[in-house]
Amino acid sequence: MLSTIKNTATDPEYHEILRNLSEGSVNRHFDPYVDIDWDSPEFAVHSDDPRWIMPEEDPLGRHPWYRAQPIEKQIAIGMWRQAGIAKVGLDFEQLLIRGLMQYLISVPNGDPEFRYITHEAAEECNHTMMFQEMINRIGYRDVIGMGTIDRKLTMAIWPAVKYFPELFFTMILGGEEPIDHLQKSLLRAGVDLHPMVQRVMQIHVAEEARHISFAHEYLRRNVPGMNPITKSVLSVAFPIAMRLMLDMIMTPPKEFVEKFDIPAEVMREAYWGSEQSQTTMRNIFGDVRALATNSGLMNPVAKLTWRLLGIDGPVTRYRSEPARKVA
């Protein structure tokens, strides 16, 4: 926490960014029970609706095994998958909210971080309600989010908040970037999504833009002034956190695999064995590779770690640059 106070407590440019983000939360925010007409006829969920079929932007959705399944099974898998992604997002948002509240305990009076982070936590609370409402309406009561092992790994968040906040905000990006990348890819591609899913995605993407911007800005401001040893540790922990969080957020749990009898080799290829899925994995992290590079975290050992984990590649020229432009 000392590094946070030292590097940003008297930084007027950083404070102005925080004020702008806070004003954005005031002027452009969403309430899941005001801005989503859950009872609209077009939001009705039907088990024969082909809009639940997983698109090619999803690693499993593009796999030949999935495409060869009967339409009714493709729809059932797609419905469970959408509910599962929402449940994982809900689990992550709850972890994030607890971490942000823990972080705020040490924020001093007068620090504009307090206002913005509280805005963000409030928005994440709305996201949990939005995700749960969508899950309930899809109707799969057996859908789960993070698995047991994943939940245990996330326990690293609590000590990180207090003793290594830069790692905490790195883990936040590791959880937010994969879902944000998938949802933006679907919206940009003009996929014919179920209207309820599309509306939830639109709201989530709009508000997550602020949350991701803050995490990027926090690290960009704080990392350069870190203790050299701690900075070296973070340079290697950064790609490791990205890769671990990718699996937690994007890889379906064993309950999903067992429910639909998905062959093990299909799961291995889709997550992340095939050449196309590996390209997807690399594309997800273009923005954070740029952040790591600009923050001085791309030393030789870190570069090797990114490469060994299969998530190295070019950096984006600007945040959220479409992957096709940096391929």
Side-chain angles (χ1 to χ4, degrees):
M1 185 60 65
L2 292 178
S3 62
T4 304
I5 296 172
K6 177 181 179 181
N7 295 336
T8 62
T10 59
D11 186 338
E13 183 182 2
Y14 179 60
H15 288 188
E16 181 62 23
I17 290 170
L18 290 172
R19 278 190 287 271
N20 288 337
L21 288 172
S22 293
E23 289 303 315
S25 292
V26 171
N27 298 320
R28 186 64 173 170
H29 65 275
F30 300 90
D31 186 307
Y33 293 101
V34 173
D35 298 295
I36 301 178
D37 185 4
W38 297 105
D39 294 321
S40 168
E42 67 171 350
F43 281 13
V45 175
H46 302 290
S47 60
D48 60 349
D49 189 337
R51 292 175 298 185
W52 290 108
I53 294 176
M54 296 166 67
E56 292 193 0
E57 285 73 14
D58 187 284
L60 181 59
R62 72 170 71 104
H63 196 282
W65 176 88
Y66 176 75
R67 292 294 171 183
Q69 300 305 301
I71 294 298
E72 58 270 18
K73 185 170 183 178
Q74 289 188 44
I75 292 173
I77 291 175
M79 291 177 70
W80 204 104
R81 180 70 173 135
Q82 286 290 359
I85 291 173
K87 189 66 173 180
V88 170
L90 189 158
D91 286 348
F92 178 75
E93 305 283 33
Q94 289 175 329
L95 290 167
L96 172 56
I97 293 163
R98 291 166 64 187
L100 291 176
M101 292 298 99
Q102 183 179 339
Y103 177 83
L104 284 178
I105 292 173
S106 300
V107 173
N109 294 332
D111 192 325
E113 277 189 355
F114 180 89
R115 178 185 172 188
Y116 173 70
I117 290 176
T118 305
H119 278 307
E120 179 171 331
E123 289 166 358
E124 301 292 23
C125 284
N126 277 336
H127 293 177
T128 64
M129 289 189 288
M130 179 172 70
F131 289 153
Q132 188 63 65
E133 188 67 34
M134 186 174 80
I135 293 165
N136 294 346
R137 288 173 181 268
I138 290 174
Y140 276 117
R141 301 298 182 186
D142 61 342
V143 72
I144 69 165
M146 291 183 180
T148 303
I149 295 176
D150 291 343
R151 288 181 179 277
K152 289 181 179 179
L153 287 172
T154 59
M155 291 301 102
I157 287 178
W158 317 130
V161 174
K162 181 174 179 61
Y163 301 108
F164 203 167
E166 293 85 1
L167 178 59
F168 168 59
F169 285 101
T170 295
M171 295 172 74
I172 287 177
L173 285 177
E176 291 179 332
E177 292 278 5
I179 289 183
D180 187 68
H181 179 88
L182 175 61
Q183 292 181 337
K184 283 179 179 175
S185 296
L186 293 170
L187 294 173
R188 284 169 171 165
V191 174
D192 187 20
L193 300 165
H194 187 281
M196 177 178 65
V197 174
Q198 183 173 27
R199 184 57 179 149
V200 167
M201 282 188 185
Q202 290 169 340
I203 290 174
H204 190 245
V205 165
E207 295 195 324
E208 286 300 316
R210 284 193 295 268
H211 307 171
I212 293 173
S213 291
F214 170 67
H216 274 255
E217 195 63 31
Y218 179 94
L219 290 170
R220 189 174 74 85
R221 299 275 170 169
N222 284 281
V223 167
M226 291 175 65
N227 175 286
I229 295 176
T230 310
K231 185 177 178 181
S232 295
V233 171
L234 182 63
S235 72
V236 176
F238 198 109
I240 293 173
M242 294 298 127
R243 187 63 182 82
L244 287 173
M245 297 299 290
L246 174 69
D247 274 341
M248 291 181 191
I249 298 296
M250 293 288 287
T251 305
K254 63 181 180 62
E255 287 82 357
F256 172 78
V257 177
E258 293 170 354
K259 182 179 181 69
F260 296 106
D261 297 318
I262 304 175
E265 62 270 20
V266 171
M267 292 299 295
R268 284 194 297 269
E269 290 175 4
Y271 306 98
W272 303 89
S274 72
E275 183 176 346
Q276 191 172 8
S277 66
Q278 289 173 4
T279 298
T280 297
M281 183 169 64
R282 288 185 169 91
N283 289 341
I284 287 171
F285 296 116
D287 285 351
V288 291
R289 285 194 299 267
L291 172 63
T293 300
N294 295 335
S295 301
L297 292 175
M298 278 296 188
N299 56 59
V301 177
K303 289 180 180 179
L304 177 62
T305 306
W306 283 92
R307 186 165 66 251
L308 290 175
L309 293 172
I311 53 175
D312 59 326
V315 301
T316 53
R317 296 171 297 176
Y318 54 87
R319 272 203 52 235
S320 298
E321 180 182 7
R324 56 186 167 79
K325 293 186 178 180
V326 298

